[in-house]
Amino acid sequence: MSQLVVAPAQPPRAAGIGKLLHRIRKNLRAGWLVTFPQKSTRERMIDLVITMLILKTRHTIAAAAIYDGRDQDKNWTPDYRLFSTSSWSERDLMRPCLEKGLSMLDPNSRWVTVAMDDVKVYKTGKKIPDTSIQRDSMSPPFHTNLRLAQRFFHAALILPHYLQSPELRARAIPVRFHLSPVLKKPGKKATPEQRQEYKERKKTHNLSGDAGVVIQEVRQDMDRTGYASHILLCAADGGYCNRNVFSSTAQIDRTRLLVRCRRDAVLAMPAAAGSRKVYSDDKFTPNQIRTDERHSWQSVEAFYAGRSRQVEFKRVDNVLWQRGAKRTRLTLFVLKPLPYKPCRNGPTYYRDPAYLLTDATDIPSHIAIQSYLDRWQIEVAHRELKQNVGLGQGQVRNARSVRRLPAAIAASYSMMYLSALEVYGPARTSDYRPLPAWRRDQARPTCQDIIDLLATQLQQERAAPGYRPPRRRTRPPVPRAKRAHLGACGAPGT
């Protein structure tokens, strides 16, 4: 596994701008220099995303403007036009997060782990673009609930902090946040041609297709950053264990896939040498490998559930999956369950075995198993993005704003974490707010700890003598009659 290279913790400065606030602004200015060539636009965007991180109310653009003291302004249009009319892409916005995260990994390591998953952002308006009725992820097993939601594909870089200290857990730093809308089904009055077109588009416009596009973009950005010799290992759950994702990954150089598969997947070994067949006649399933005594259990040490543990597994190389990866040679891992309780009288988690498939046939067993266990950190990032940072709370209806605002929030969330690592290190130091008396010691700072520290430094900056808020050039709002005329003429920004 790769090791982290972070700056040691330093004492806070006695005066001046807070170190975390100063580092976030410095990183964003350097990273978004090409994305926002105009200085005024870049500074407005930086101040907006930083303010949206620390809001105690709903994380909206209007609430950020009010927090900045612009509640008396008659026109907040420039803030909204940052996402609706400004010329930038989500990829350019999040590329600095990937570059900064890669710089914190050991350059001598061969493998770079990126976790992948999809996340749903719930909405209430039916007229919001790219919103559809989807299954509620919090539905009980015995009943499926439906909710209006937007679907995003999320890719996060894994930073293994446990290699620096055995008490620290890994972190998932978002490096891509791509809108992946559900393709709208034709209505009852649709023509046969429209129904056939829907069937054809459904084969490519799905999560598996978006996963291939995002993986290709991450691989290209890694090559530009100077990590062309590193292998990109994409760890995902069972939803991406299919033919489309395996075929997309096979076409990308120096990229491998590690996914969880079904226990009843039909696998086979290659046919005997000299045979015209590709697959042997003897088929087997991952569950049969688990119960087969001819395959012995091995043991490896991995960081899991807060500490290092011994994980027992079975490994089978040169496996073929005819319905999935076709002729691509795979490696099968069967992991014994590691049940544990979060507290003495709590429920028991992870009681079932895990079955993994990867096309990285030369990967060491401990790296593959640890990368799969670290994939859970992307679920933690989903929770923090929704609960602490307010992902999906922005009230925007423009088609471009709908996909850009969540990406900007994810980018600011990533840069906040990366800046905190540079300034204070991965451990929880005395710079953060003291823990309450009833809470036990915590090794790493939580997302809310970093947000509280950032809010304190921002308030101290504004309360300092001689502070002058930035002056924003705003134009008066366009009258409604003139907006209708501009819209009829096809003018931008309407």
Side-chain angles (χ1 to χ4, degrees), residues 208 238-247 257 259 321 323-325:
S208 299
Y240 300 91
C241 184
N242 53 58
R243 182 187 306 172
N244 295 336
V245 182
F246 268 108
S247 61
L257 186 66
V259 290
W321 184 22
R323 297 189 60 182

Side-chain angles (χ1 to χ4, degrees), residues 33 95 105 112 124 138 144 149 156 168 207 223 237 286 296 299 309 321 342 354 362 391 415 434 471 494:
L33 186 62
R95 184 181 290 114
L105 296 176
V112 175
T124 57
M138 302 303 294
T144 299
L168 300 175
L207 281 174
D223 296 344
D237 58 3
S296 59
S299 180
R309 304 171 186 268
W321 184 22
D362 58 339
L391 178 68
M415 196 57 70
R471 299 182 61 183
T494 59

